[in-house]
Amino acid sequence: MIKHLVTLVVLTAGTSLYAQQTITGQIVDETHTPIIGASVFYAHQSIGVATDMQGKFTLTFIEKAPLTISYIGYKTQTLTPQEGQSYHLILQPEESLDEVIIKTKQRNTTRSIKGTTNSFTMNSGELLKAACCNISEAFETNPSIDVNYTDAITGTKQIKMLGLTSPYILIAEENIPSVRGASQIYGLTFTPGTWVESIQVTKGAGTVINGYESISGQLNTELIKPATDRPFYLNLYGSNDERFEANIHGNYRLNDKWSSSLFIHGNVRTGDHDKNHDGFLDMPKGEQINVMNRWQYINPEKGVVSFITARYMKDNKVAGQVDFDKKKDKGSTVLWGSEINTEKIDLSTKIGYVFPDLPFQSAGLQVAYNYHKQDSYFGLNLYDIKQNSLYSNLVFNSIISNTLHKFTTGLSFTLDQYTEQVFVPGIDGNFNRTDNALGAFYEYTYDNTTDFSVVAGMRVDYHNRMGLFATPRLHLRYNPWENGVLRASVGRGKRLANVFAENQIFFATNRYFQLEGNNGKIYDLDPEIAWNYGLSFTQNFHFIGRKGDVTLDFYRTDFENQIVVDADYNAHQLLFYNLDGKSYANSFQLEVNYNLARNLNLRSAYKYYDIATDQKTGTFEKAYQPKHRFFANLEFTTNEKDNGAHWKFDFTYNWLGKQRITTTEQYAEVNQLKSSSNPYSLMNFQITKVFSPRFEFYVGGENMGNYKQRNPIVSASNPFDTDFDTSMVYAPITGSMYYAGLRFKLD
Amino acid sequence: MKKLFLTLGLVLLTTAAVSAQEKEQPKQVIGVKGLCEMCKKRIEKAALDVKGVRSVDWSIADQQLTVYLNPKKTTGKEIQEAIAKAGHDTDAVKATDEAYNDLHGCCKYQR
């Protein structure tokens, strides 16, 4: 709904004509025509009147009480009246709605005070702040999600929520679970940032509509919609570490119902970079080609919206020792090298229907087919995985008696067919399997439209491996006072761990792999089950005339069962077993956002994580996870000129406390590491010069302080030795990186 | 005999009432006076509290309330009475002075 903005001009303050204890006045518009029925009231005392046929009003005088004058279509403002005064006020018409929204209302990250779940939406503006490149890099300006370095070989960044990595986060694309199974580790790098319209982030137990797997949170990416897409978009990017990217989008509107968009993405990384002189490439070389074609159909009269999307992606990476030649050295022990080649095909369709004459009732069907194939080797270790999956979800939304009580219900069916081949020390085998699940869900929402709402969801699934089980989720929201919101949530999640796909970082080690199952459902192991509890309080405030908000979050995840990935039992081994004892993750976050000055926004957060798991040899704090983190982001935009030209400045600071390093006791003395890392900080910046709505240019830098982990690869000089390990990474491997790029768009 | 006629008459009357109810449209647009966002909340809440009202939307600009109702359970008249009780004049029902005076200053629309 339109929010009316506020300004008013006090022209003349006439002399006292009336008795004391009152104030009077006349309200007119810009043509000096009296405004009839404008509201004149004391905002805090609930006293007020409407202006009469001459636009006049008389009110009791209240000392130092601000008086508000408002009328639809006109700017509102507040003044502190003088006793016995008469006012002649000219109201100014509201500016055109679009302009007001763009200049003052739109924020890159929006958190609703109304929503029941602890969610916020990052729009494309927020994604542009990281300039690049795919969604694994999109969260670097966001305090709720931590970006972590996974290993010293693939250069992959992994995200964490509440201290837990992506297998415990449900990552969906347009509400279809996308980063899962075979794509668990690299999946986020397969969606170019320029394709994204917005990302919705939900902390804690999410909705049951998208499945039972989410535990610590949900991320949903909405891609650009053909019906609202611009005709042409070009983005070029290059960095000093020789990464080059190009994105080209084209859109075509066939008629008022059908439109189509074509998205083409390509990136290459060339050149050998070994700044730390350990003989290994600091990041892999390779290329990715990614093409997507979307069709959208809209028929407002019939209430039908539909999407058809087809996508192809091919990604090749080569990593390892600088002189490694894949044709000559693959499979030999002369030089260590690695290749990860992935191919993906996605086909999906969505259809939504709103019942005519019942705008509160709708139905939707989503069907997606996904093919994912990864062939890879890491030195002498081999890992191939192929996944064919089918996802379908039928959703029906309606109300119970009235719109205060809403419900969503539906059925889902998923089928996953895996062909998996693992050849590592200790394991040589095929782990082929087919999983399927049929589920039904029901979610009830009550909202009293003022200060209280509840979302209660339940789903029941029958899974060929896990049997019949229930997933309950509950969210509550209460506004104890104005601009304050208290949220609570509790929920259960259950999933089968794809232990190899999720722990690919250990393939680039010479560890001895051991599956210590108990004849469980998958790899002899049991499903993972966890409960997540959350409490969050947000207060919006005004301080010295500027807006801000403060949020306190506390979340706890308790594992009933977890697949413990134990790298601490012995530095030469990697064990997988069912949790015996306790495993929990506590996360606390204090976030403060404040508008420091006109066009200057500060976002800051302190995060505390307490994550521990009972392992075979004791209780271990989570490795490569700082207990304390501090985050700050400053954003400054200059005023827009008439032609739309302006500057944007963005600066992000991250401080990471000490991190535990997994045991190195069994290594040769020269290879041993300290048991924890030193704290360090990272600084990123970006400057964008917008020349016009059509053209902009940006430059930026990452890790400006040039902090590097000194020896990210254990036994780098002897990669076929048992000590060789590339998984012990807690800091950037490459030093500072600078980039530049441009965006060109036609509207 | 008298009793029979009386019963018959009653039956007829009820039938007439029922058929009158059946004419009630599930979607109705009612003029409702108000001024601001605060009024919107109060008007919509008052309407939603009427049993049989499914969905409502009041537009400040149009001074109109779009209602979806269950014709078996309520009527447009009943909804208008509920809104008037909350202090807002509608097409068919005028709010009492007391109800109007109870409104927040910002909602004192021109009568």
Side-chain angles (χ1 to χ4, degrees), chain A residues 12 28 72 229 285 298 374 432 481 573 690 701 721:
Chain A
T12 50
V28 297
I72 300 141
D229 193 9
K285 293 185 284 187
I298 301 183
Q374 180 189 325
N432 300 344
W481 47 75
Q573 291 182 4
V690 181
D721 179 67

Side-chain angles (χ1 to χ4, degrees), chain A residues 386-410:
Chain A
K386 206 161 81 181
Q387 180 185 2
N388 274 294
S389 54
L390 182 75
Y391 174 88
S392 53
N393 205 14
L394 180 68
V395 184
F396 178 75
N397 290 297
S398 190
I399 58 169
I400 304 168
S401 77
N402 62 41
T403 47
L404 299 179
H405 310 267
K406 291 185 178 131
F407 72 90
T408 302
T409 185

Side-chain angles (χ1 to χ4, degrees), chain A residues 152-153 272-274 278-285 318-326 329 332-338 379 713 715-720 724 726:
Chain A
I153 289 293
D272 299 331
H273 292 267
D274 180 20
D278 61 359
F280 276 76
L281 295 175
D282 295 337
M283 62 284 236
K285 293 185 284 187
V318 186
Q321 290 185 297
V322 177
D323 296 326
F324 176 79
D325 179 350
K326 63 183 184 187
D329 301 320
S332 80
T333 53
V334 182
L335 286 168
W336 194 99
S338 166
I713 300 176
S715 185
S717 55
N718 200 357
F720 295 96
F724 176 73
T726 68

Side-chain angles (χ1 to χ4, degrees), chain B residues 44-98:
Chain B
E44 291 182 351
K45 186 94 214 281
L48 271 180
D49 283 343
V50 177
K51 222 178 167 175
V53 173
R54 287 170 163 159
S55 157
V56 293
D57 181 38
W58 183 71
S59 153
I60 299 180
D62 304 336
Q63 299 278 296
Q64 276 177 349
L65 181 77
T66 309
V67 194
Y68 292 88
L69 54 85
N70 180 350
K72 286 181 195 140
K73 289 191 178 158
T74 190
T75 60
K77 184 81 192 295
E78 225 174 275
I79 297 162
Q80 296 196 40
E81 275 160 6
I83 294 166
K85 217 172 184 179
H88 292 270
D89 291 351
T90 72
D91 286 342
V93 188
K94 209 169 166 345
T96 60
D97 288 344
E98 287 99 317

Side-chain angles (χ1 to χ4, degrees), chain A residues 64-365:
Chain A
K64 285 181 185 155
L67 188 70
T68 303
I69 297 101
S70 76
Y71 189 69
I72 300 141
Y74 290 82
K75 292 178 181 177
T76 309
Q77 219 207 16
T78 307
L79 72 149
T80 309
Q82 300 291 309
E83 193 177 340
Q85 289 282 28
S86 175
Y87 294 89
H88 182 75
L89 309 165
I90 301 175
L91 286 185
Q92 296 297 316
E94 192 108 59
E95 278 169 52
S96 96
L97 175 68
D98 289 8
E99 258 180 288
V100 173
I101 281 194
I102 287 165
K103 285 182 179 165
T104 64
K105 275 284 168 189
Q106 189 169 4
R107 282 203 151 184
N108 289 328
T109 303
T110 48
R111 185 197 286 269
S112 165
I113 200 112
K114 281 267 149 202
T116 312
T117 54
N118 188 6
S119 305
F120 55 90
T121 302
M122 298 162 63
N123 67 23
S124 56
E126 183 70 26
L127 289 148
L128 295 181
K129 283 163 60 170
C132 199
C133 282
N134 56 61
I135 41 179
S136 80
E137 289 150 307
F139 302 103
E140 289 182 2
T141 55
N142 197 291
S144 290
I145 292 171
D146 299 324
V147 182
N148 287 68
Y149 301 88
T150 57
D151 63 284
I153 289 293
T154 64
T156 310
K157 288 173 183 169
Q158 209 177 6
I159 58 161
K160 284 186 184 178
M161 250 171 108
L162 315 179
L164 298 172
T165 47
S166 55
Y168 301 114
I169 308 168
L170 185 128
I171 301 174
E173 193 171 280
E174 312 217 306
N175 291 311
I176 296 170
S178 61
V179 177
R180 56 185 290 276
S183 64
Q184 194 61 260
I185 293 289
Y186 307 119
L188 280 176
T189 67
F190 297 154
T191 302
T194 56
W195 295 7
V196 175
E197 186 184 78
S198 66
I199 301 178
Q200 200 192 15
V201 181
T202 304
K203 269 184 158 182
T207 159
V208 292
I209 296 163
N210 299 339
Y212 47 80
E213 287 182 326
S214 74
I215 288 167
S216 68
Q218 298 195 353
L219 287 181
N220 180 46
T221 306
E222 288 292 325
L223 300 178
I224 292 168
K225 312 277 179 278
T228 49
D229 193 9
R230 48 172 59 98
F232 180 78
Y233 178 87
L234 171 75
N235 166 238
L236 296 173
Y237 166 100
S239 72
N240 70 332
D241 59 6
E242 292 175 82
R243 173 170 165 183
F244 303 99
E245 300 220 5
N247 287 291
I248 301 170
H249 309 176
N251 174 269
Y252 182 68
R253 234 150 275 183
L254 280 87
N255 51 46
D256 60 338
K257 293 191 174 69
W258 282 99
S259 37
S260 172
S261 283
L262 180 68
F263 301 83
I264 301 169
H265 165 92
N267 76 60
V268 286
R269 172 113 65 179
T270 57
D272 299 331
H273 292 267
D274 180 20
K275 283 191 190 160
N276 53 10
H277 306 293
D278 61 359
F280 276 76
L281 295 175
D282 295 337
M283 62 284 236
K285 293 185 284 187
E287 67 277 324
Q288 185 187 104
I289 172 125
N290 213 331
V291 181
M292 178 169 75
N293 186 204
R294 304 196 81 191
W295 291 81
Q296 184 173 10
Y297 172 84
I298 301 183
N299 188 337
E301 293 100 62
K302 294 218 168 106
V304 178
V305 180
S306 179
F307 290 93
I308 301 163
T309 307
R311 180 165 163 187
Y312 173 78
M313 197 275 320
K314 191 174 166 66
D315 182 86
N316 295 332
K317 290 189 196 65
V318 186
Q321 290 185 297
V322 177
D323 296 326
F324 176 79
D325 179 350
K326 63 183 184 187
K327 290 192 190 89
K328 208 171 74 212
D329 301 320
K330 180 181 170 182
S332 80
T333 53
V334 182
L335 286 168
W336 194 99
S338 166
E339 266 191 272
I340 304 165
N341 297 327
T342 313
E343 215 175 347
K344 231 165 83 88
I345 296 167
D346 295 282
L347 299 170
S348 69
T349 179
K350 266 173 118 167
I351 182 157
Y353 175 72
V354 180
F355 289 76
D357 295 329
L358 301 171
F360 43 80
Q361 189 162 298
S362 64
L365 174 71

Side-chain angles (χ1 to χ4, degrees), chain A residues 559-607:
Chain A
F559 285 89
E560 254 175 53
N561 186 44
Q562 188 176 22
I563 304 309
V564 180
V565 181
D566 190 345
D568 288 295
Y569 182 72
N570 182 316
H572 290 141
Q573 291 182 4
L574 186 71
L575 311 184
F576 300 96
Y577 50 83
N578 290 313
L579 175 71
D580 179 16
K582 272 203 239 169
S583 179
Y584 65 85
N586 288 331
S587 99
F588 169 86
Q589 178 173 319
L590 171 66
E591 185 181 337
V592 179
N593 301 314
Y594 187 59
N595 175 228
L596 291 169
R598 194 178 150 82
N599 300 337
L600 179 65
N601 288 309
L602 169 75
R603 196 185 298 168
S604 62
Y606 163 74
K607 293 174 277 187

Side-chain angles (χ1 to χ4, degrees), chain A residues 8 26 83 236 246 276 423 427 521 565 698 740:
Chain A
L8 174 144
Q26 189 188 23
E83 193 177 340
L236 296 173
N276 53 10
F423 179 78
I427 293 172
K521 306 292 181 198
V565 181
Y698 57 88

